[in-house]
Amino acid sequence: MSKQYWLGVDGGGTHCRVRLYDEQQQVVGEAVSGSGNLRLGVDQVFAHIITASLQVVRSAGLPDDTLAQVSVGMGMAGACQPQQQAEVAAYSHPFRAVSLLTDAHTACLGAFCGQPGAILILGTGSCGLYFDGQHFHSIGGWGFPISDGGSGAMLGLRLIQQSLLAFDGMQPVTELSQRLLEQLGGHPVDAVAWMDQARPRDYAALAPLVWQAYEAGDALADSLVTQHLDDVRLLLRRLQQLGAGRCALMGGLAARTSAHLSAEFGHFLVDPQQDALYGAMLLARDGVELQGGLCT
Amino acid sequence: MSKQYWLGVDGGGTHCRVRLYDEQQQVVGEAVSGSGNLRLGVDQVFAHIITASLQVVRSAGLPDDTLAQVSVGMGMAGACQPQQQAEVAAYSHPFRAVSLLTDAHTACLGAFCGQPGAILILGTGSCGLYFDGQHFHSIGGWGFPISDGGSGAMLGLRLIQQSLLAFDGMQPVTELSQRLLEQLGGHPVDAVAWMDQARPRDYAALAPLVWQAYEAGDALADSLVTQHLDDVRLLLRRLQQLGAGRCALMGGLAARTSAHLSAEFGHFLVDPQQDALYGAMLLARDGVELQGGLCT
């Protein structure tokens, strides 16, 4: 019987990363190709994954038809539509097998090497995911602004809201509220124009202003951080309630948020053990069942 | 010297209403034409106003060139850009004179017959406006979601946020939270798809659910109404602080909100005396200066 390989895929909007593992779980190689956004169509995404896989296989001195011995685990951003799942399952690809989950699922598998545990992603958006050893349980992550408390986008939105109230004399003006208005152009009219074009990541890009001002003792920053931590507590408590015994915080806000909550949550907050590519390899190797909503 | 007339215009997204007054402030006639949204271009808006004006003039048995004796006061939704103001001022029209403010300004003038007083608009959006007898002072109204606390859109957004938290086990499930999810399609995935298309008025269209559930004693509705009233209090207190001695609530949420705050604000909350068309006529007749931001 020929040798088996496992390929972990981490597919984001800008690129697809792949990492090939052999039977001893040793890394054969890694490569990066174009966008892994399934909304662009399953053909294009598979083309990128195949291009990157062939690059790894050839670099390792293996023949191209090695792909037929490769089981693929895909963790793809936005792979939340049943239709996308069906398209990937039905696709005629050169691999031995393909399994698909979102990048949050593979990040969770990687964080605890396939053992039970939860992750809480605090980036542009937010979402919590708990793997109990057999099934996934997800909370939040429905998108900004109807969801995603604890995210950078929500922190940025509240910063703008409070700064406009300050401009209009309904909240005290602070260094931070003035700094925010300057950043958006100097006047609320500029903020209106900014909003017309703004995407969640643009709101999230304002979050660092809050942390900087917090360090400087700004009263508005203090109230925004307090509210942010309350949102994160709600998510962490729910993950505990679902049965999680440990949780890894991830995303751009993880480090600062974790520093504020580590005393309160003690050993519950841990560092991830491996990355999402490793988790995707585990998905390819072991498979996991999916419970609840697909969108996480 | 020929007789003078004054034309009040109330220009909204769907249509322009005009009302012609004579020197004795008697109504000569009224008419409605197409959209008064200045974003469609000043040519189109003037075409609609001229069409409606000619209709009124002819119905009254007056010759078409009566328009040269008509001074126009325009209260136009979205007339907040300096560029739009300049275009209207420079436009070659058949009228004696034209003055432009937003429909909020003319509503405020109408509400107190040109005397000092404030209005607070609680519709899809929200904004407060105080006329001190010479100048306008505006607060809020920068748009959803960066502003417009107390509005229907904000009430709708918070309803969705809290209902999704309930779905995920982070808030208690109530009749209202279940009703909201059903309304959006039955599952948070439907809410995500809804959000991708939703405009502020779609959020505001959810507000009546809150009031209905409030009557039925729903706990979520109770907390949402409490938060809504806090937002409105902030606006009313600021209007008082700016010097307003009375305030008329307007817009779809005015009646219910007013009922909750009338005891607390006593004689400060009053009914409007006249409408925005009357206010636009006063603008044409007396003119007013504009202070602060144009966007209200």
Side-chain angles (χ1 to χ4, degrees), chain A residues 109-134:
Chain A
L109 291 175
F112 303 99
C113 295
Q115 296 301 303
I119 62 168
L120 180 57
I121 300 173
L122 303 174
T124 292
S126 69
C127 91
L129 196 59
Y130 165 49
F131 180 58
D132 65 13
Q134 290 192 292

Side-chain angles (χ1 to χ4, degrees), chain A residues 70-183:
Chain A
V70 173
S71 298
V72 179
M74 294 164 66
M76 310 300 278
C80 59
Q81 306 298 334
Q83 194 198 330
Q84 294 171 335
Q85 299 264 346
E87 281 174 12
V88 167
Y91 197 81
S92 176
H93 54 68
F95 301 107
R96 183 168 182 268
V98 168
S99 304
L100 171 69
L101 287 175
T102 75
D103 52 344
H105 289 95
T106 50
C108 187
L109 291 175
F112 303 99
C113 295
Q115 296 301 303
I119 62 168
L120 180 57
I121 300 173
L122 303 174
T124 292
S126 69
C127 91
L129 196 59
Y130 165 49
F131 180 58
D132 65 13
Q134 290 192 292
H135 303 296
F136 284 101
H137 309 264
S138 75
I139 56 173
W142 305 110
F144 175 83
I146 63 171
S147 170
D148 293 19
S151 70
M154 194 57 80
L155 196 55
L157 173 60
R158 289 192 186 132
L159 170 60
I160 303 176
Q161 289 173 332
Q162 294 301 311
S163 299
L164 290 176
L165 287 175
F167 177 88
D168 282 329
M170 289 183 276
Q171 294 291 351
V173 169
T174 75
E175 289 268 333
L176 175 58
S177 74
Q178 291 188 298
R179 178 95 193 275
L180 181 277
L181 268 184
E182 284 163 25
Q183 179 105 356

Side-chain angles (χ1 to χ4, degrees), chain A residues 11 13 28 42 65 109 256:
Chain A
V28 178
V42 73
D65 63 5
L109 291 175
R256 307 202 73 142

Side-chain angles (χ1 to χ4, degrees), chain A residues 140 142 145-146 161 168 192 238, chain B residues 140 142 145-146 161 168 192 238:
Chain A
W142 305 110
I146 63 171
Q161 289 173 332
D168 282 329
V192 176
R238 180 58 182 157
Chain B
W142 305 110
I146 62 171
Q161 289 173 334
D168 282 328
V192 176
R238 180 59 183 157

Side-chain angles (χ1 to χ4, degrees), chain B residues 26-178:
Chain B
Q26 296 302 304
V27 175
V28 178
E30 261 192 63
V32 178
S33 186
S35 174
N37 188 337
L38 281 172
R39 294 193 186 192
L40 302 176
V42 73
D43 284 316
Q44 191 172 329
V45 169
F46 263 109
H48 289 144
I49 293 173
I50 292 164
T51 301
S53 304
L54 283 174
Q55 192 183 324
V56 173
V57 163
R58 290 169 188 172
S59 294
L62 297 165
D64 286 2
D65 64 4
T66 305
L67 294 194
Q69 297 153 249
V70 174
S71 297
V72 180
M74 296 164 65
M76 310 300 278
C80 57
Q81 306 300 332
Q83 192 198 332
Q84 294 171 334
Q85 300 265 347
E87 281 174 12
V88 168
Y91 197 80
S92 176
H93 53 70
F95 301 106
R96 183 166 183 269
V98 169
S99 304
L100 172 70
L101 287 175
T102 75
D103 52 344
H105 288 95
T106 51
C108 187
L109 291 175
F112 303 100
C113 295
Q115 296 301 303
I119 62 167
L120 180 57
I121 301 173
L122 304 174
T124 292
S126 69
C127 90
L129 196 59
Y130 166 48
F131 180 60
D132 66 11
Q134 289 192 292
H135 304 295
F136 285 102
H137 309 264
S138 75
I139 57 173
W142 305 110
F144 175 81
I146 62 171
S147 170
D148 292 19
S151 71
M154 194 57 80
L155 195 54
L157 173 61
R158 289 190 186 135
L159 170 59
I160 303 176
Q161 289 173 334
Q162 294 300 312
S163 299
L164 290 177
L165 288 175
F167 178 88
D168 282 328
M170 289 183 276
Q171 295 290 351
V173 170
T174 75
E175 290 268 333
L176 175 58
S177 75
Q178 291 188 298

